[in-house]
Amino acid sequence: MKTDGMLKKELNPIANMMPYLTAGWNPEANNESLTAFTITRPRGIPQSEKATDAAAMTVLFIDAHCQVGVEGAKAITPRVLPDAAKQLA
């Protein structure tokens, strides 16, 4: 498990660089209007230390986040994992 500080240290260079990479797709963007992406870690989202469970939970988190947002990801708990893993398989 990584702490907030460890994650920010790893992701900060990417968050700073991403606006410049995406500016290439927008011909109207200029360097003054570009700002770094913010890095936040929502609280209350369960984590799993087992690699096999973590892989299935990641798929469920992505799906829930796409459909509902961060609140949807908070609803994914280890309790729903067995049935969801069967559906994924």
Side-chain angles (χ1 to χ4, degrees):
M1 305 280 185
K2 293 188 178 192
T3 64
D4 290 349
M6 291 168 65
L7 283 174
K8 282 193 175 189
K9 186 177 180 180
E10 285 184 28
L11 296 176
N12 244 359
I14 297 168
N16 288 330
M17 182 178 46
M18 193 61 68
Y20 295 98
L21 293 175
T22 58
W25 299 321
N26 182 3
E28 297 175 6
N30 57 26
N31 285 345
E32 292 87 32
S33 66
L34 300 176
T35 58
F37 290 1
T38 58
I39 300 171
T40 58
R41 187 176 197 178
R43 302 285 180 214
I45 296 179
Q47 296 183 14
S48 177
E49 293 185 14
K50 292 183 182 179
T52 53
D53 289 352
M57 286 185 78
T58 300
V59 172
L60 296 174
F61 286 146
I62 292 169
D63 184 50
H65 188 268
C66 287
Q67 292 180 17
V68 185
V70 174
E71 294 304 317
K74 290 180 182 180
I76 305 299
T77 62
R79 186 174 43 91
V80 302
L81 192 58
D83 292 332
K86 287 178 187 176
Q87 285 183 329
L88 291 172

